[in-house]
Every structure is written in structure tokens, then in C-alpha cells.
Amino acid sequence: MSIIVQKFGGTSVATAQKILAAARRAVATKRAGHQVVMVVSARGHKTDELVDLAAEITDAPPPREMDMLLSTGEQESVALVAMAIQTLGEKAVSLTGGQIGILTDTSYTKARIRNISTDRMRRCLDDGAIVVAAGFQGVDDDLNITTLGRGGSDTTATALAAVLRAAECEIYTDVEGVFTTDPRLVKDARKVPRIAYDEMLEMASLGAGVMHSRSIEFAKKFSVPLRVRPAYSDGTGTLIAPEGEEDQRVVSGLALAKNEARVSLSGIPDRPGTMAIVFSKMGARKIPIDMVVQNVAEGGTAEVSFTVPQSDLAETLTAAEEAVKELGAGVVDSGTAVSKLSAVGVGMRSHSGVAAHMFQSLADSGVNIQMITTSEIKISTLISRDQCEDALKVVHAAFKLDRPTNEPPTVGVRQKAGNGDAPSQGRLLHEVVSKLAAMEDIVVSEVLLDESQARITISDIPDEPGISATIFSAIAEGDVMVDMIIQNQSHSGRARVSFTVDRTDLERCLLLVREVVSQWPSAQLTYDGDIATLSVVGIGLRTHTGVGERMFKALSEASINIQLINTSEMRMSAVIARPEGHKAHAALLKAFGLK
Ligand code: ADP
Ligand code: ASP
Ligand code: MG
């Protein structure tokens, strides 16, 4: 008999009526011939209320007690849901995370799942009962209650679906499915019928609140078919699944992370090992850093900037000060009131001009881009927070995301060469996953060496709206495909942008760039045809803070200097000097235990 996992979010079990409706849905599924496991969140705003209550007692609640407290919200829900099912005439058993045997590590408030035993759930299912599991919680080796991080019930659901080999995992929530962007912020956002795992993983980790990003890691790792559906109607929702032919759009969706902060370390030594120290200090505190921009060094010192959620800023600054101390030089500064606006889509792998189109639409509405980073399927920009919601609407319209799908793309089409991607990953992934010691362990399936690219850097350009748009529009019009883009402001108020192109396009691209740059007398153009890009490929790489640490430590031990860095959930890349490519490749294969 096939197993269906059904997860109900807080809004969907907020009242007795909604609890009964959720119960009826599970009962109907059971009567249609399936075994049913429900995963339930705390009712309505229960978790927020408990957080507020703790804050009234202390500014620094001990994490262990916080987990003890927050886990009660889910315990209340499962009991009520099980009662509801029983009144409808079916058997039901409510179980806490500990009763199921969801074993986690001891990182209170952000615990990771190690193992789940299926015995008790299977016994209940075979006995004809619907299992009602508490989301968001587990226990550590000493039976201390742990929680998985806010929004973590999604992760409980996909993890249970994975270990039970469920036919489908259904996520019932308060919207019709996954939209092109948050429908609360953009009224004409549209529901997408299907989205690829990689796209959803990026969207979720870049701020789309609809799914916990770790739940998508589970879904991809263990091939769980996942569907986000409305709890209040019979809508078919959105299927989250492997990449398919039907994914027509170049950009599938936009994510906004409103409350971000920027942290910069300047005047730090430009030598191998610098990034390793920075990443290890952040990794030690489990701070996921994003939008890492390391400027090509000037006068023997380097500068690195990155973003973190504003709630992690205080800890990040402490960690950055530690890094500067260990490096022996440098100054830390930060910027708040910024937001990260990202565009995501697997179509970016094969289309040129996507970035230029996004930058142009921001320029047209007077939005200055403070930082840019891109990866193979996403473009992230850091902009001022007071403009972020308007910017989201503008970019949404610019990519025609408010129109029905399957319209032709708004940007040029050209196959990008030499960027070997997703398809070959399936088998490798399966091999790595089958050897995992713990379910949420880091998954790194490959280390790739790409020697086909060249780097161009333009420094001392004005820091004002429209500059990036001008540069990248000119390049796109010249039909040159840009790969990695990295931009930030320097302390002198000038901006610097670096990007990579195929080496065979270098001369042509330089001609295009020289012409544009000539309008800014202060601007300086440099390039390097002799670079190599190393990419560590896997799942959840940015959110598992240990990956950057391991990668940069290995490069540092091999005495390799890093020119540019680029991170996404699927890939972490570093640009280095080409003659060191093979040595670096070997060092990384060894560091990640790959052949
Ligand atoms: P639940 O309590 O069911 O887990 P959440 O509040 O965690 O629900 O997630 C649903 C909410 O996510 C929606 O109400 C919506 O405002 C928000 N959201 C953000 N981005 C998106 C998106 N791209 N698609 C759909 N919903 C989104
Ligand atoms: N109740 C938890 C929270 O509000 C978990 C969840 O809803 O997914 O974060
Ligand atoms: Mg949620």
C-alpha cells in the first residue's frame, strides 16, 4: 500500500474547523486506499507567541529551554488532530518527534536530523491508524528536545516521506502553491504548476518563505515528489520535481530577503588562507553567509564583503573581529537597511542577457545596486531596503512573470558551452547519498575544473543607478555570454565589477567593454585570460556552513590564492590562476573524499 505524507502548516490548523477539515482530508486519503502520515505545525501564531513570552522573561533565553518551550506548540496540535480523526471514525495516533525516533544533533534551535526510525510509524500504519506526527522537533542522544529552526515542519515532512519511501509528500498551506514571488508582496504574482528542485532550493534559501529550504534538500537527495497545495480548496498546487522539459521560463521566480545586513572586512592580507579563516570563523558559529564578494587585491591588501540575515549581524561582527585578529590586519564595517533581491531560473544556464535585463529594470526605476553576485541559476542584488518592495514589483513585471507561462523568453537564447550540469548529477548524487552517515550530512558529489573562462574587472566606476545595466547590456547586445558576475562598492564610494566570459570571447568582449567604459574617465579595465574555476557541486552547500570552510582550508593548505568566489546551494566556486588548476582540483577532491 502506498504511503502519502500530508503536512499542515500553522494557518491550516489554526481553529477547530480547520483542524476538522485537515482531518477530513487525511481520512479521505486513507479511505482511497493509502496509508497516511500527517505532519502538523503549531496552531496559528502559537510559536511566535511563545517566542514573545520568553522574551518578556529574558533577553537571552537558553536555547535548550527555548526548544523545550517551542516544541509544545506542535504537541498541542497533534493531539487535537488525532482527536478530530477519531471523531470521524478512523484510528489515529499522535506522536512527538521523540516518540517517532527523530534523532538530531544537539544544535538547539537549529538542529539537523541524523536518523529516523520507521518501526513505530510502520506498526501504527499496519494497524490501520493514521499517524499524526509533530513537525519541527526531534530529540538528541540524551533525549533532550531539539527543534529544526523556524519553518522546520516542512523538513520533518520531507524527511519522513524520504525514510518511508512515500509516494508523495503534500504540503498544505494558505496559498494556492508556489508563486513567481510572494503573492502578499506582488498582487499579480502567478502560481507556477511545476518548479525544479534546484530552483526551489535557491528560492527558499534566498528568502521565499513558502518552504523551509532544508526540506527541499531532502526532497532532492532522496527523490521525494513534493507538492505544495492549498489547504482550503481542491487546487492542484505546485509540483516540485526534477528539472523537466516543460520549464520554459528563463526566470522562474523572484525571492526577496528583506532584512539583510552587509559585512565588509577591508585591508586584510592578500594571501592564501585569508578566505579560509573568514569562512571558518563564520562556520564555527553556523552563520550562513551569502553574496560573498572578494575584490581583486590592490596594493597588497584585499577586501571581502558578504551578506547575512540581520538577525545574525551581532554574532557575525564578533566572528569578523576574530578573523581580523587572526589575520593580523584589517577593519570590519557593516551596513544595514539593505535587502537582497534575487531572480532564479534554470533557464539562465542557456540564455544570455538575463542579468542585463534585471539591472536595466532596476536602473529604470532609479534603484542603485550596491552588490551583485550570480551563480549558474540565480542573480542576487543588494539594494536599499526602502526601495525593495517596489523593486520586486518592477523586476517581476520586467520578466513578464505576471503573464501566463510558455511565452517566449524576453532575452537572447544561446547554448552556453562547457558548463556540464544537472543531468549527469543524478547517478553521482545517488552514490554519495547512499553512503551518508547522517541524513542531513553535507552532500558533495563532484569537484569540477573549468579552464575555459577569462576574467574581466572594471574598477573605479561611479556608484550610481544604471552603471551595471549599461555595461552588461552592451555585452549582451554584442552576444557575449557572461558567466559569473561579482560587484560591490568600495570605500571610496566607487564600484568595482568583475565577471567571467568564455576565453574565446575575451577579445570581442574587451572591445565592447572598452567602448562603454570610455564614458567614465576614472574607470580602469583589467583582465586575465589565464584563470581556472573550481566548483564544488552538491546540495545545500551554502546553508551547510562547513562546505566553504573545508573548501577554502584545502585551497589554503595547497597555497592557492583566490581571486573571486561564488556561492549557491548547488555549487561553491572559486576563481584561481590557471597554472594552479590541477593542483587545486586534486586538493579539493581529497578534501571532500572524492576520487
Ligand atoms: P505554513 O504555515 O503553511 O508553513 P508559511 O507562512 O510558512 O505557511 O508559508 C506560506 C506563505 O509563504 C504564504 O502565505 C506566502 O505569503 C509566503 N510566500 C513567500 N514566497 C512565496 C512564493 N514564492 N510562493 C508562495 N508563497 C510565498
Ligand atoms: N511552528 C514552527 C514555526 O512556526 C514550525 C513550522 O511551522 O514549520 O516556525
Ligand atoms: Mg512554513
Side-chain angles (χ1 to χ4, degrees), residues 94-102 117 120-121 137 139:
S94 63
L95 296 173
T96 64
Q99 287 175 326
I100 293 168
I102 300 184
S117 63
R120 183 147 185 196
M121 286 187 290
Q137 54 176 267
V139 290

Side-chain angles (χ1 to χ4, degrees), residues 554-568:
L555 292 177
S556 154
E557 282 166 2
S559 302
I560 288 162
N561 207 15
I562 296 154
Q563 299 182 12
L564 300 176
I565 290 174
N566 184 296
T567 65
S568 74

Side-chain angles (χ1 to χ4, degrees), residues 189 250 360-361 592:
V250 181
Q360 190 62 54
S361 64
F592 289 99

Side-chain angles (χ1 to χ4, degrees), residues 41-42 47 74 136 150-153:
S41 292
T47 313
E74 271 69 14
F136 174 59
R150 296 302 308 270
S153 296

Side-chain angles (χ1 to χ4, degrees), residues 6-45:
Q6 299 184 328
K7 179 253 170 181
F8 291 84
T11 326
S12 312
V13 288
T15 61
Q17 271 62 39
K18 289 185 175 177
I19 288 174
L20 281 160
R24 274 194 290 274
R25 201 180 278 274
V27 165
T29 308
K30 166 127 201 307
R31 290 181 182 162
H34 303 283
Q35 292 184 322
V36 181
V37 174
M38 292 175 86
V39 173
V40 189
S41 292
R43 294 188 313 117
H45 298 289

Side-chain angles (χ1 to χ4, degrees), residues 7 151 154 209-210:
K7 179 253 170 181
D154 297 329
V210 62

